[in-house]
């Protein structure tokens, strides 16, 4: 959220998330506010290098261009200082001199020339080769040019390259010559005094600009290189473009307002799969370790300060290797040992409940979409007034009508849920089955506990949470407005209560704090609701095989708006690219003129031969990829680099088992009778580049096992001191078997079997130390292969 934004009057605001100058996400518009609450979460993989993660606040305009109010920009190197913490950031002014992105490739040389009379003078040679990753201007590739200057205390010689049209990766290949010093016998009147010129103070400055034609040119970035560093040698390097030194400096930054952000940034270096064998095996045998508290997976959750950091990669790894159900059963049994009353079963935030929560979010995405999305869309797009709290009623509201509207929505949501058991994923059913039987075993005299064990998850932690926060579960693109959020909150409360009825002997009306909710629920006291809940809970916690919905109904994987190039056209032109709605399921890839319209073009998944990136040079457009199938390639442009990466990954994943996948492809397009990449003139010529490797992940559950293991290794590394402290504690307990000394050191840890826990800890520490060595070797190899100044590791800032 933001507060105290300018101008100091109620306006419509939205916020964008940018990698450098590329917008990757945008929030909804919050109307008529000075302190807008956005409440939106964005999780994404970063597919390219970047310097800044920026957040821009915009004032929405209907007739004019949206105005940027201010920004928060965080350097990549500084993200670790803010990760996992909520911070208020002061908005900074948006200054065109500070908005930069991309890198430039230069070669510099200082020559000594002998004149006709035998005297020596120095000449600077600047070869500007190319740029990569310049920003889009108004959504289009820019028209860049560069100015090259030799700057000193008493001179400023400037030269300029040609303008390159519609490209973010211009190839300049132009060389410029500058006189650095002149001989004392030089007779022509000089523009500067030789004796005043000091080579120590000279620097080469390269400025990148977008040619504005009839409007003002836009600054794209600059770099500065001191001449003194050349020392008569040729110097060649890549440089990251920097903002102007006077950019983004203003005395009025306090007046713009502030933005509250919670950022979580992780950067992992994933090694080849064989490096993780020992750690992976140690984690995967966790469900079989007795007691479970001595397992590597349990110890991971114990040593991490924020358990969520550990649970996400752990659940994904165990899911990927089909070990999650026995692990959840083992930690749930440990949880139940400490549960004294049946009515508090699985109500806390334990390792077991968090693992199940995370599993439901990952596995239940499609289940939620087919069950709730239609009714959530109806509530959000055609909202009816549902407020029944007398204190919050507006003038003219009719509480009876509002109660009828709310009852209509609750009935509809409830009906969709209890009819959805056939769509419940098998993995969720297996987990619910284990929890149900463990609960019945723990409280054998309570006939209802087997239902409350399941309803506490499926109703309270799954459906009710998805109803109140549909944007978090991708059921809606944005956080609902205030009135709709209130309606969803009331529906969610009702669903929680109805879900608990089937597991209790008496009504819970007395537990409502609000009188108005008690009055509302008096209309629900019917036996059919209890029976419907019980039947549903029986169905979703049964191991009996259901009709596999995946075989009869295609699984929805991804959808969104992108641009596609008309197939079969040869002319390059804007009209060849049209905005279309794309939809990917487990069965086919389609595009439509608009969302919810019939498909214009369909490619069966089995017919897709490859999905690869497309060189920008093909159509002078960024973020393009190609889908190769039986006919002509389908060329698609995504809206940003994150979206392009996600689509390519999703398409590769769902087609990875296709038997006729290609081994080679053309990275550029076939235009005007030849392939732009290899110049071959036959359209069906075998590709000139090897296809990228398949993604080792599950089709419906997007998991990379090696990446999750690397994340767990990083967590163990960060918490190595706690591991060593726990190991010391286990050793002390095992040896002395007496009073525990200094209990504060390990009193928060669960140590059921000190010998078994000690043995596992020793294995973890040994494995982590070996992985440390592997990472060090890799980093040394990487640093030697990608030296400072290479394209992979460009120079940042001024060279000295």
């Amino acid at each position: 959220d933001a507060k105290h934004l300018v101008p100091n009057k109620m306006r419509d605001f939205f916020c964008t998330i940018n990698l450098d100058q590329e917008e990757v996400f945008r929030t909804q518009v919050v109307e008529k506010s000075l302190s807008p609450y956005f409440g939106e979460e964005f999780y994404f993989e970063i597919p390219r290098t970047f310097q800044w993660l920026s957040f821009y606040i915009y004032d929405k305009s209907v007739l004019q261009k949206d105005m940027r109010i201010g920004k928060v920009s965080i350097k990549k190197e500084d993200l670790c200082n803010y990760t996992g913490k909520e911070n208020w950031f002061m908005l900074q002014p948006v200054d065109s001199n500070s908005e930069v992105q991309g890198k430039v490739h230069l070669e510099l040389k200082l020559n000594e020339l002998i004149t006709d009379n035998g005297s020596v003078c120095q000449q600077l040679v600047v070869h500007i080769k190319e740029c990569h990753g310049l920003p889009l201007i108004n959504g289009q590739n820019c028209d860049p040019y560069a100015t090259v200057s030799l700057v000193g205390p008493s001179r400023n010689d400037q030269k300029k390259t040609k303008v390159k049209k519609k490209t973010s990766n211009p190839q300049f290949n132009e060389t410029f010559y500058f006189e650095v010093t002149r001989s004392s016998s030089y007779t022509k009147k000089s523009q500067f005094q030789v004796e005043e010129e000091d080579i120590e103070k000279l620097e080469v400055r390269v400025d990148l600009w977008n040619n504005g034609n009839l409007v003002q040119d836009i600054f794209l970035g600059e770099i500065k290189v001191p001449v003194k560093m050349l020392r008569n040698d040729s110097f060649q390097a890549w440089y990251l473009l920097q903002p102007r030194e006077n950019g983004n400096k203003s005395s009025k930054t306090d007046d713009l307002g502030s933005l509250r952000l919670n950022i979580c940034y992780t950067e992992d270096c994933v090694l080849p799969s064989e490096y993780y064998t020992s750690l992976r095996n140690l984690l995967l045998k966790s469900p079989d370790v007795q007691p479970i508290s001595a397992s590597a997976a349990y110890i991971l959750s114990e040593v991490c300060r924020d358990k969520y950091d550990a649970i996400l990669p752990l659940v994904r790894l165990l899911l990927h290797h089909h070990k999650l159900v026995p692990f959840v059963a083992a930690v749930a049994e440990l949880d139940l040992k400490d549960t004294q009353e049946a009515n508090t079963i699985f109500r806390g935030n334990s390792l077991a409940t968090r693992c199940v929560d995370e599993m439901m979010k990952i596995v239940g995405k499609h289940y939620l979409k087919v069950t709730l999305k239609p009714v959530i869309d109806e509530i959000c797009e055609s909202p009816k007034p549902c407020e029944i709290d007398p204190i919050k009623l507006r003038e003219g509201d009719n509480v009876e009508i509002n109660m009828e509207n709310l009852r209509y929505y609750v009935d509809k949501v409830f009906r969709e849920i209890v009819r959805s058991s056939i769509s419940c994923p098998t993995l969720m059913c297996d987990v619910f089955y284990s929890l149900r039987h463990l609960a019945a075993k723990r409280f054998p005299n309570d006939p209802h506990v087997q239902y409350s064990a399941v309803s506490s998850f499926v109703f309270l932690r799954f459906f009710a949470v998805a109803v109140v926060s549909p944007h978090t579960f991708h059921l809606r693109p944005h956080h609902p407005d205030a009135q709709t959020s209130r309606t969803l909150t009331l529906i969610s409360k009702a669903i929680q209560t109805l879900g608990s009825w089937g597991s209790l002997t008496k009504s819970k009306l007395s537990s409502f704090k609000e009188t108005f909710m008690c009055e509302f629920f008096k209309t629900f006291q019917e036996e059919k609701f209890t029976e419907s809940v019980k039947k549903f809970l029986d169905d979703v916690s049964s191991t009996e095989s259901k009709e596999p919905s995946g075989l009869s109904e295609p699984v929805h994987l991804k959808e969104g708006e992108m641009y596609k190039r008309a197939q079969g056209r040869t002319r390059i032109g804007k009209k060849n690219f049209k905005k279309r709605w794309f939809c990917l399921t487990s069965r086919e890839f389609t595009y439509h003129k608009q969302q919810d319209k019939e498909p214009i073009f369909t490619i069966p998944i089995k017919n897709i031969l490859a999905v690869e990136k497309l060189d920008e040079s093909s159509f002078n457009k960024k973020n393009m990829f190609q889908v190769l199938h039986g006919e002509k390639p389908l060329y698609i442009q995504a809206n940003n680099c994150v979206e392009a990466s996600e689509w390519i990954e999703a398409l590769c994943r769902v087609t990875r088992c296709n038997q006729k996948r290609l081994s080679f492809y053309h990275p550029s397009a076939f235009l005007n009778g030849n392939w732009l990449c290899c110049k071959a003139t036959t359209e069906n010529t075998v590709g000139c580049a090897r296809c990228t490797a398949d993604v080792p992940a599950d089709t419906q559950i997007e998991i990379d096992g090696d990446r999750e293991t690397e994340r767990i290794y990083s967590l163990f590394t960060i918490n190595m001191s706690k591991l060593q402290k726990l190991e010391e504690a286990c050793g002390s307990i095992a040896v002395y078997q007496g009073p525990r000394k200094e209990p504060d050191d390990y009193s928060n840890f669960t140590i059921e079997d000190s010998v078994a826990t000690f043995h596992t800890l020793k294995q973890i520490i040994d494995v982590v130390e070996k992985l440390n060595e592997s990472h060090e070797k890799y980093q040394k190899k990487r640093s030697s292969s990608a030296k400072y100044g290479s394209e992979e590791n460009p120079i940042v800032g001024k060279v000295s």
Side-chain angles (χ1 to χ4, degrees):
D1 60 345
K3 64 182 180 182
H4 309 318
L5 299 180
V6 294
N8 293 316
K9 55 183 177 180
M10 307 296 261
R11 303 299 289 266
D12 301 340
F13 294 106
F14 66 91
C15 181
T16 66
I17 303 175
N18 292 51
L19 290 174
D20 297 322
Q21 293 306 294
E22 183 176 15
E23 180 185 319
V24 292
F25 288 107
R26 177 179 292 210
T27 69
Q28 65 173 349
V29 176
V30 178
E31 297 179 347
K32 295 181 174 53
S33 175
L34 279 177
S35 299
Y37 177 76
F38 300 109
E40 300 198 36
E41 293 181 10
F42 301 96
Y43 171 83
F44 59 100
E45 304 284 336
I46 299 175
R48 62 170 177 82
T49 57
F50 69 103
Q51 290 191 75
W52 299 87
L53 177 66
S54 299
F55 303 83
Y56 291 84
I57 295 289
Y58 282 81
D59 179 0
K60 180 72 175 173
S61 176
V62 177
L63 300 177
Q64 299 177 336
K65 186 178 179 181
D66 299 331
M67 184 174 74
R68 290 193 286 191
I69 299 296
K71 69 174 182 178
V72 172
S73 290
I74 306 171
K75 258 192 167 180
K76 178 185 175 183
E77 294 77 16
D78 297 334
L79 282 170
C80 58
N81 299 329
Y82 303 105
T83 189
K85 293 179 282 188
E86 204 171 80
N87 293 280
W88 280 100
F89 296 87
M90 299 300 295
L91 289 177
Q92 303 297 318
V94 179
D95 175 8
S96 60
N97 288 333
S98 68
E99 307 296 297
V100 303
Q101 172 187 314
K103 53 192 174 184
V104 60
H105 191 193
L106 284 185
E107 183 177 7
L108 306 170
K109 189 172 183 180
L110 199 59
N111 292 333
E112 286 191 348
L113 300 180
I114 301 175
T115 62
D116 293 340
N117 60 11
S119 59
V120 177
C121 66
Q122 288 184 305
Q123 181 188 57
L124 175 68
V125 183
V126 180
H127 179 193
I128 179 165
K129 295 187 172 185
E130 58 184 320
C131 291
H132 278 184
L134 296 181
L136 299 176
I137 304 295
N138 298 324
Q140 300 294 322
N141 281 332
C142 55
D143 294 339
Y145 70 90
T147 60
V148 182
S149 309
L150 182 61
V151 182
S154 55
R155 70 185 290 178
N156 188 353
D157 299 346
Q158 186 179 94
K159 300 182 182 183
K160 177 181 170 183
T161 68
K162 294 177 181 176
V163 175
K164 299 295 180 180
K165 292 288 187 181
K166 301 299 177 195
T167 178
S168 296
N169 301 323
Q171 303 283 329
F172 291 113
N173 281 320
E174 294 191 41
T175 304
F176 301 99
Y177 300 89
F178 298 90
E179 286 181 330
V180 176
T181 60
R182 294 192 174 107
S183 63
S184 57
S185 60
Y186 191 73
T187 56
K188 187 177 178 181
K189 187 176 180 181
S190 174
Q191 295 178 356
F192 62 96
Q193 296 298 316
V194 175
E195 56 271 23
E196 293 177 3
E197 192 67 13
D198 185 355
I199 194 171
E200 294 292 317
K201 297 178 181 177
L202 286 177
E203 64 181 11
V204 178
R205 192 179 77 205
V206 178
D207 294 80
L208 269 295
W209 298 86
N210 177 63
N211 182 38
N213 292 322
L214 301 177
V215 297
Q216 186 177 0
D217 293 355
I218 297 173
F219 176 75
L220 301 178
E222 70 175 16
I223 61 119
K224 296 179 180 180
V225 185
V227 173
K228 65 181 180 180
M229 67 166 292
L230 299 179
R231 311 293 182 194
N232 297 324
D233 293 326
S234 176
F235 183 81
Q236 183 177 172
W238 283 87
Y239 301 83
L240 284 175
L241 291 171
Q242 299 299 311
R244 277 190 175 155
E245 288 184 353
N246 64 344
N248 207 18
K249 291 185 179 177
S250 171
S251 60
K252 297 185 178 180
T253 56
D254 294 341
D255 302 330
L256 298 176
S258 52
L259 182 66
R260 182 166 58 169
L261 302 169
N262 192 333
I263 300 168
C264 183
Y265 174 76
T266 57
E267 185 173 322
D268 295 320
C269 170
V270 183
L271 300 173
S273 187
E274 59 268 19
Y275 285 89
Y276 299 108
T277 303
S278 298
L279 179 57
R280 184 169 55 241
N281 291 342
L282 190 60
L283 291 161
L284 293 180
K285 73 177 185 182
S286 293
D288 305 319
V289 174
Q290 293 291 336
I292 190 66
S293 61
S295 68
Y298 193 93
I299 290 170
L300 174 69
S301 70
E302 287 278 270
V303 298
C304 287
R305 185 173 61 86
D306 186 348
K307 278 187 165 48
Y308 181 78
D309 290 343
I311 285 167
L312 180 58
L314 180 61
V315 167
R316 291 168 71 87
L317 180 69
L318 294 173
L319 262 177
H320 186 57
H321 292 281
H322 311 292
K323 292 284 186 177
L324 184 66
V325 176
F327 180 73
V328 167
V331 292
E333 190 169 13
L334 181 63
D335 210 18
L336 287 169
K337 284 182 182 178
D338 298 325
T339 306
Q340 303 304 319
E341 297 181 18
N343 61 356
T344 62
I345 193 167
F346 299 131
R347 291 298 172 95
N349 277 328
S350 64
L351 176 60
T353 58
R354 288 192 173 198
C355 282
V356 178
D357 286 350
E358 205 54 51
M359 177 274 296
M360 292 190 297
K361 284 182 187 175
I362 297 169
V363 177
K365 278 183 185 176
H366 178 66
Y367 179 33
L368 279 177
K369 195 164 279 189
V370 298
T371 305
L372 290 184
K373 192 173 188 332
V375 64
I376 295 291
D377 284 344
E378 179 187 341
I379 295 167
C380 293
E381 291 168 11
S382 306
K384 298 177 181 180
C386 294
E387 185 56 72
I388 58 174
D389 183 352
I391 298 173
K392 295 184 179 181
L393 286 172
R394 297 177 182 176
E395 189 176 344
D397 280 354
N398 186 316
V399 70
E400 285 79 17
I401 293 176
N402 288 4
M403 195 174 286
E404 285 179 16
N405 293 337
L406 182 60
R407 175 65 193 257
Y408 166 77
Y409 283 146
V410 170
D411 278 344
K412 193 160 188 178
V413 171
F414 179 80
R415 189 166 57 249
E416 292 298 329
I417 291 172
V418 296
R419 289 178 178 177
S420 70
S421 59
I422 193 72
S423 302
C424 186
T426 305
L427 188 70
M428 286 177 64
C429 295
D430 291 342
V431 169
F432 295 153
Y433 175 81
S434 295
L435 297 177
R436 176 176 180 167
H437 284 270
L438 286 169
K441 181 181 174 183
R442 174 70 179 84
F443 298 102
N445 298 323
D446 190 327
H448 303 284
V449 73
Q450 59 178 319
Y451 293 109
S452 58
V454 179
S455 67
S456 63
F457 286 106
V458 73
F459 278 102
L460 272 65
R461 293 172 175 264
F462 187 57
F463 284 120
V465 178
V467 168
V468 82
S469 302
H471 58 292
T472 305
F473 292 83
H474 307 291
L475 299 177
R476 295 291 298 171
H478 297 295
H479 189 283
D481 60 54
Q483 185 178 337
T484 307
S485 288
R486 174 64 179 163
T487 299
L488 293 173
T489 300
L490 293 171
I491 296 170
S492 179
K493 283 184 177 185
I495 293 302
Q496 289 183 52
T497 304
L498 290 173
S500 67
W501 276 12
S503 56
L504 299 173
T505 52
K506 59 181 180 179
S507 167
K508 286 188 67 180
L509 291 183
S510 58
S511 67
F512 276 117
K513 294 178 182 178
E514 305 99 332
T515 308
F516 63 88
M517 288 301 287
C518 289
E519 293 300 316
F520 176 63
F521 262 94
K522 286 178 181 177
T523 64
F524 282 88
Q525 292 189 43
E526 303 170 22
E527 186 67 25
K528 66 173 185 178
F529 284 99
T530 303
E531 291 307 312
S532 296
V533 170
K534 282 190 173 182
K535 183 180 185 310
F536 171 74
L537 294 174
D538 280 332
D539 289 343
V540 297
S541 58
S542 167
T543 56
E544 294 179 12
S545 59
K546 303 183 189 61
E547 285 289 325
S549 58
L551 297 179
S552 56
E553 291 292 328
V555 177
H556 180 97
L557 299 174
K558 191 170 178 61
E559 62 181 352
E561 202 168 58
M562 295 186 289
Y563 295 84
K564 67 96 188 173
R565 184 176 185 269
Q567 301 185 67
R569 302 280 184 91
T570 55
R571 262 180 44 211
I572 299 177
K574 189 174 180 181
K575 65 181 180 181
N576 281 349
F577 283 84
K578 295 182 178 179
K579 188 183 289 188
R580 292 289 181 257
W581 186 265
F582 287 81
C583 184
L584 174 65
T585 71
S586 56
R587 188 178 295 169
E588 58 192 20
F589 181 49
T590 59
Y591 62 77
H592 315 243
K593 198 161 188 177
Q594 292 175 337
Q595 188 179 4
D596 300 326
K597 298 287 185 183
E598 288 299 310
I600 300 172
F601 189 73
T602 300
I603 305 175
I605 293 301
K606 64 181 181 181
N607 291 354
I608 295 178
L609 307 176
V611 182
E612 299 287 345
K613 289 182 179 179
L614 187 71
D615 283 354
E616 181 193 323
S617 58
S618 298
F619 302 106
N620 285 332
K621 290 182 181 292
K622 299 182 77 169
N623 305 318
M624 288 202 68
F625 63 95
Q626 52 184 319
V627 179
L628 307 179
H629 56 110
E631 303 174 29
K632 292 180 181 292
L634 177 59
Y635 298 128
I636 301 169
Q637 183 188 26
N639 294 295
N640 56 63
C641 62
V642 171
E643 186 176 86
S645 176
E646 289 177 348
W647 273 104
I648 292 170
E649 189 177 350
L651 282 159
C652 284
R653 186 176 293 108
V654 76
T655 60
R656 77 193 192 287
C657 296
N658 288 359
Q659 294 182 350
K660 295 183 180 180
R661 280 185 68 91
L662 297 177
S663 299
F664 292 88
Y665 78 106
H666 290 283
S668 286
F670 185 82
L671 293 174
N672 301 321
N674 66 77
W675 290 101
L676 300 181
C677 43
C678 59
K679 307 304 178 187
T681 56
T682 308
E683 195 166 0
N684 58 2
T685 302
V686 175
C688 55
R690 183 172 287 278
C691 289
T692 52
D694 290 344
V695 182
D698 187 281
T699 303
Q700 295 179 38
I701 305 171
E702 302 172 5
I703 296 173
D704 181 341
D706 292 339
R707 176 157 193 177
E708 306 306 335
T709 313
E710 168 62 29
R711 182 95 291 273
I712 291 170
Y713 152 75
S714 299
L715 292 170
F716 276 137
T717 304
I718 293 166
N719 293 284
M720 180 56 73
S721 61
K722 288 185 180 178
L723 290 170
Q724 292 167 340
K725 193 178 290 185
L726 186 56
E727 184 186 35
E728 187 181 327
C730 289
S732 174
I733 295 167
V735 171
Y736 296 109
Q737 293 292 330
R740 299 186 181 186
K741 297 179 180 180
E742 300 176 5
D744 290 343
D745 284 349
Y746 52 87
S747 58
N748 293 328
F749 296 133
T750 302
I751 305 176
E752 291 182 288
D753 185 330
S754 58
V755 175
T757 306
F758 181 88
H759 179 66
T760 304
L761 283 163
K762 193 172 187 317
Q763 288 180 297
I764 293 170
I765 292 169
D766 288 345
V767 167
V768 169
E769 286 175 351
K770 285 180 183 177
L771 270 171
N772 284 340
E773 293 174 9
S774 300
H775 273 280
E776 286 172 11
K777 287 179 183 177
Y778 174 79
Q779 291 296 346
K780 285 180 182 176
K781 183 179 177 182
R782 184 183 179 191
S783 60
S784 62
S785 61
K787 66 178 184 178
Y788 193 47
S790 65
E791 185 176 0
E792 297 80 17
N793 189 18
I795 294 170
V796 181
K798 195 171 181 177
V799 179
S800 57

